[in-house]
């Protein structure tokens, strides 16, 4: 499973999450942690359909308030909010909204701690691309 995620990360320019369950949560948090650690600097975008991810947004704020998450990490996950009514959600262009969020990404500002593309001898490792 980890190898599959590393390969997806190497080939992607961003990560987009739709409403989902435990597997989605795990993948979103893993790629967010990779950003926090400086393994990559790619946007993590969650499509907040019908406010599905509002509890997660609040959980992140609670983590910041409690001192477990750095305030500078607040924007590691970009939430794309849709219209306020369910009827509008059905016709809302989520794809364009996701691409707009990716296009506006300014980078995490996290200092790169590791170069996962290099071995100690300086040769390419084939591991997760750092850009």
């Amino acid at each position: 499973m980890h190898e599959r995620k590393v390969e997806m990360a190497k080939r992607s320019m961003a990560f987009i999450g739709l409403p989902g369950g435990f597997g989605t949560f795990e993948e979103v948090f893993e790629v967010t942690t990779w950003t926090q650690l400086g393994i990559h600097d790619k946007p993590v975008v969650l499509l907040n359909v019908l406010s599905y991810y509002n509890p997660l947004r609040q959980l992140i704020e609670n983590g910041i308030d409690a001192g477990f998450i750095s305030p500078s990490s607040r924007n590691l996950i970009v939430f794309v909010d849709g219209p306020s009514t369910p009827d509008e959600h059905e016709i809302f262009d989520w794809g364009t909204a996701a691409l707009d969020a990716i296009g506006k990404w300014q980078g995490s500002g996290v200092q790169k701690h590791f170069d996962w593309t290099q071995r100690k001898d300086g040769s390419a490792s084939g591991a997760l691309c750092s850009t």
Side-chain angles (χ1 to χ4, degrees), residues 36-48:
Q36 186 181 34
L37 293 174
I39 294 172
H40 70 75
D41 195 20
K42 299 176 182 182
V44 178
V45 176
L46 294 182
L47 302 184
N48 196 21

Side-chain angles (χ1 to χ4, degrees), residues 6 19-21 23 27 32 35 37 40 52-53 58 63-64 68-69 71 76 78-79 104 106 115 118 121 124 128:
V6 168
E27 289 184 344
T32 301
T35 305
L37 293 174
H40 70 75
Y52 181 81
Y53 282 115
Q58 186 58 55
I64 291 168
F68 293 108
I69 298 173
L76 293 183
V78 177
F79 294 89
K104 292 177 185 172
Q106 298 293 314
D115 185 349
Q118 299 294 313
D121 66 3
L128 181 60

Side-chain angles (χ1 to χ4, degrees), residues 1 4-5 21-32:
M1 178 78 125
R4 177 187 67 83
K5 287 190 268 185
F22 291 127
T24 302
F25 297 156
E26 186 272 332
E27 289 184 344
V28 165
F29 282 127
E30 182 164 18
V31 295
T32 301

